């Protein structure tokens, strides 16, 4: 999950339910009087689902309205349509008929009546979602943006980010972290707030919801992590490999609550791992220097993650940050070291002296023709999965198995934060 930009906190839609029940009107100290009137307005999240030149859409169990300006199309339950860019215009394909929608910049797909039941309101690429869908038409692609109430969005995020069979304490910790992250990421002047992928937090629609993820969200409704007067930067990752990372060792700012702490992910399937890097992959990753013969770690963070590394290739060297090295090689984490897997030398003449370290074309000492040695493979030996900052999901699972509650898990990974009802502008 990528680090979000800073955002100030604001007054609560859910303080009534969290503090005193539905009949009361309770707000946090310092709340403006207008908050009592605004409590019913649950925050919405705008999620980028897809950016493509073709959008297969369908109604759920209820009819939908597709509207573009003054034009309206009613979609019967389960009816499907396709929106596609063609020669700069948007084309609507429906029931074998084709209709061109020239100079169209925005469309909306939304329920024809008030949604009811637990099913999806619409489908995109055969995956069901709640809420409304905004379609922003660009020159070469259409953006599909799901506008969905926050508490309806979260059960899918929890189920997409964690196995639904995990203990409730871990699922609830994930629900609070995901809620805090989504609210902090809201950007009123941008076209969307978050994406549905690991670049934000994973969101797979209603198919990822289960009774256990809905319970985790409902039981923590409105709760967020606050540090001082602001929403915390509640980033998370899969597995830390024994120790989480200081935010300042990875990103530009060291936040006081995102410090390195012991992880409890020893049972994680990615706590320790190895990845063989073949010459073809190394050539593709470091084409500007002809591949890689070895990788030297030059500097590490306090937790042992690569801060800077030197890649030595047949035609030069590169110095990269740990993050760029991980990206180029597709590594699970930067908590990694590298070994050389020497090429097979059995076929070489026995009279040759020992080869120098990692030569690309060693020569016979008598000046005869060069001996072709295949480029080496490398072995990456690492621990953990993800950037390592904030909550480790496998660590949360481990703490839950030890009997820790969700608030204890959150306090462990986000030091000095407070669990409080969210407050909105």
């Amino acid at each position: 999950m990528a680090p979000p930009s800073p955002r100030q906190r604001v007054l609560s839609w859910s303080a009534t339910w969290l503090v005193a029940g539905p009949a009361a009107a309770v707000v946090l100290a310092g709340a403006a009087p207008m908050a009592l009137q605004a409590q019913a307005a649950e925050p919405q999240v705008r999620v980028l689902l897809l950016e493509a030149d073709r959008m297969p859409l369908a109604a759920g169990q209820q009819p939908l309205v597709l509207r573009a300006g003054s034009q309206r199309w009613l979609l019967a339950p389960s009816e499907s349509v396709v929106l596609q860019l063609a020669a700069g215009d948007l084309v609507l394909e429906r029931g074998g008929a084709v209709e061109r929608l020239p100079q169209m910049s925005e469309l909306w797909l939304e329920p024809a009546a008030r949604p009811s039941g637990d099913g999806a309101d619409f489908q995109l690429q055969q995956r069901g979602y709640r809420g409304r869908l905004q379609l922003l038409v660009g020159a070469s692609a259409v953006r599909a943006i799901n506008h969905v109430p926050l508490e309806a969005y979260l059960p899918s995020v929890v189920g997409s980010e964690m196995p639904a069979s995990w203990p409730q304490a871990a699922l609830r910790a994930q629900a609070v972290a995901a809620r805090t992250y989504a609210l902090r990421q809201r950007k009123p002047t941008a076209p969307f707030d978050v994406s549905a992928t690991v670049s934000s937090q994973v969101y797979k629609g209603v198919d990822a919801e289960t009774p256990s993820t809905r319970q985790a969200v409902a039981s923590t409704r409105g709760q967020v992590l606050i540090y001082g007067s602001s929403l915390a930067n509640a980033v998370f990752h899969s597995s830390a490999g024994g120790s989480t990372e200081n935010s300042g060792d990875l990103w530009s700012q060291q936040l006081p609550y995102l410090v390195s702490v012991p992880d409890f992910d020893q049972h994680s399937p990615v706590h320790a791992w190895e990845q063989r890097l073949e010459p073809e992959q190394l050539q593709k990753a470091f084409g500007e220097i002809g591949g890689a013969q070895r990788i030297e770690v030059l500097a590490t963070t306090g937790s042992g993650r690569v801060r800077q590394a030197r890649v030595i290739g047949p035609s030069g060297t590169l110095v990269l940050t740990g993050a760029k090295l991980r990206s180029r090689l597709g590594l699970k984490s930067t908590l990694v070291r590298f070994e050389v897997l020497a090429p097979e030398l059995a076929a070489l003449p026995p009279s040759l002296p020992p080869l120098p370290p990692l030569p690309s074309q060693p020569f016979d000492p008598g000046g005869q023709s060069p001996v072709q040695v295949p480029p080496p493979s490398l072995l990456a030996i690492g621990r953990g999965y993800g950037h390592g900052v904030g909550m480790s999901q496998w660590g949360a699972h481990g703490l839950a198995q030890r009997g820790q509650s969700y608030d204890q898990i959150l306090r462990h990974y986000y030091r000095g934060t407070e669990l409080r009802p969210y407050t909105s502008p």
Side-chain angles (χ1 to χ4, degrees):
M1 183 183 68
S5 57
R7 189 190 188 292
Q8 296 299 314
R9 78 172 179 105
V10 276
L11 285 178
S12 170
W13 93 91
S14 62
T16 296
W17 293 90
L18 288 170
V19 180
V26 179
V27 288
L28 297 176
M34 290 297 292
L36 293 176
Q37 302 174 19
Q39 279 183 4
E42 180 181 336
Q44 300 276 309
V45 183
R46 298 169 304 156
V47 189
L48 177 65
L49 301 180
L50 179 66
E51 188 167 6
D53 60 1
R54 188 175 186 275
M55 295 282 171
L57 305 168
Q61 298 175 356
Q62 300 182 80
L64 294 179
V65 171
L66 178 65
R67 59 180 176 88
S70 60
Q71 296 176 274
R72 300 285 192 279
W73 298 267
L74 181 66
L75 275 64
S78 302
E79 182 182 358
S80 61
V81 299
V82 174
L83 287 168
Q84 186 163 348
L85 283 174
D89 287 337
L90 196 63
V91 172
L92 174 63
E93 302 174 10
R94 182 185 185 190
V98 175
E99 183 175 353
R100 189 170 291 271
L101 309 176
Q103 299 180 336
M104 194 63 64
S105 62
E106 181 183 60
L107 299 90
W108 285 87
L109 185 67
E110 51 198 3
R114 184 181 179 89
S116 61
D118 291 331
D121 294 319
F122 68 90
Q123 291 184 348
L124 173 64
Q125 290 188 319
Q126 300 183 333
R127 181 172 282 174
Y129 298 92
R130 303 186 190 280
R132 303 183 300 155
L133 186 69
Q134 180 187 27
L135 299 158
L136 297 179
V137 183
S140 59
V142 179
R143 284 176 171 173
I145 301 168
N146 185 195
H147 292 233
V148 59
L150 175 64
E151 300 297 318
Y153 159 74
L154 290 172
S156 173
V157 173
V158 174
S160 301
E161 286 283 356
M162 271 187 178
S165 60
W166 279 14
Q168 269 293 305
L171 296 176
R172 291 175 185 181
Q174 181 66 70
V176 173
R179 182 183 293 111
T180 307
Y181 177 83
L183 288 168
R184 184 183 166 102
Q185 279 287 80
R186 290 196 298 169
K187 311 176 188 74
T189 60
F192 58 89
D193 303 315
V194 293
S195 74
T197 69
V198 291
S199 62
S200 295
Q201 50 190 13
V202 183
Y203 169 59
K204 297 180 180 179
V206 297
D207 289 345
E209 297 181 13
T210 69
S212 63
T213 68
R214 287 191 285 268
Q215 178 187 349
V217 172
S219 62
T220 63
R221 182 178 176 87
Q223 294 180 14
V224 293
L225 292 169
I226 299 291
Y227 187 84
S229 60
S230 299
L231 286 165
N233 185 346
V235 292
F236 50 88
H237 59 281
S238 176
S239 179
S243 178
T244 68
E245 182 68 287
N246 293 312
S247 63
D249 284 333
L250 181 63
W251 302 319
S252 60
Q253 185 181 13
Q254 176 58 58
L255 296 173
Y257 51 88
L258 290 180
V259 295
S260 179
V261 299
D263 197 19
F264 296 86
D265 68 333
Q266 289 77 12
H267 62 305
S268 162
V270 287
H271 175 76
W273 50 267
E274 293 184 356
Q275 180 177 339
R276 188 181 175 106
L277 305 170
E278 301 295 354
E280 297 78 9
Q281 179 185 356
L282 296 169
Q283 170 67 40
K284 184 176 180 180
F286 309 113
E288 64 266 57
I289 58 171
Q293 295 173 314
R294 66 177 180 268
I295 300 175
E296 299 174 346
V297 175
L298 301 179
T300 61
T301 67
S303 66
R305 289 170 170 82
V306 176
R307 189 191 297 274
Q308 191 176 68
R310 179 189 292 119
V311 183
I312 300 169
S315 58
T317 63
L318 283 175
V319 175
L320 300 173
T321 65
K324 288 183 179 178
L325 184 69
R326 180 189 174 202
S327 176
R328 288 204 187 196
L329 292 175
L331 301 174
K332 293 179 175 63
S333 77
T334 58
L335 189 55
V336 63
R337 60 184 177 87
F338 300 91
E339 292 183 358
V340 177
L341 300 177
E344 180 59 56
L345 302 179
L348 292 179
S351 60
L352 285 179
L355 293 174
L358 303 171
S360 58
Q361 281 193 331
F363 282 78
D364 184 293
Q368 303 302 313
S369 61
V371 178
Q372 298 293 332
V373 177
S377 299
L378 302 182
L379 183 65
I381 304 170
R383 299 202 311 273
Y385 196 158
H387 50 64
V389 180
M391 185 178 73
S392 158
Q393 293 165 319
W394 275 100
H397 178 269
L399 285 171
Q401 288 187 317
R402 294 176 179 222
Q404 297 290 291
S405 63
Y406 77 97
D407 53 318
Q408 290 174 317
I409 294 171
L410 292 168
R411 284 198 300 270
H412 175 72
Y413 288 107
Y414 306 103
R415 295 298 173 98
T417 60
E418 296 181 49
L419 190 64
R420 291 165 56 182
Y422 173 64
T423 56
S424 62

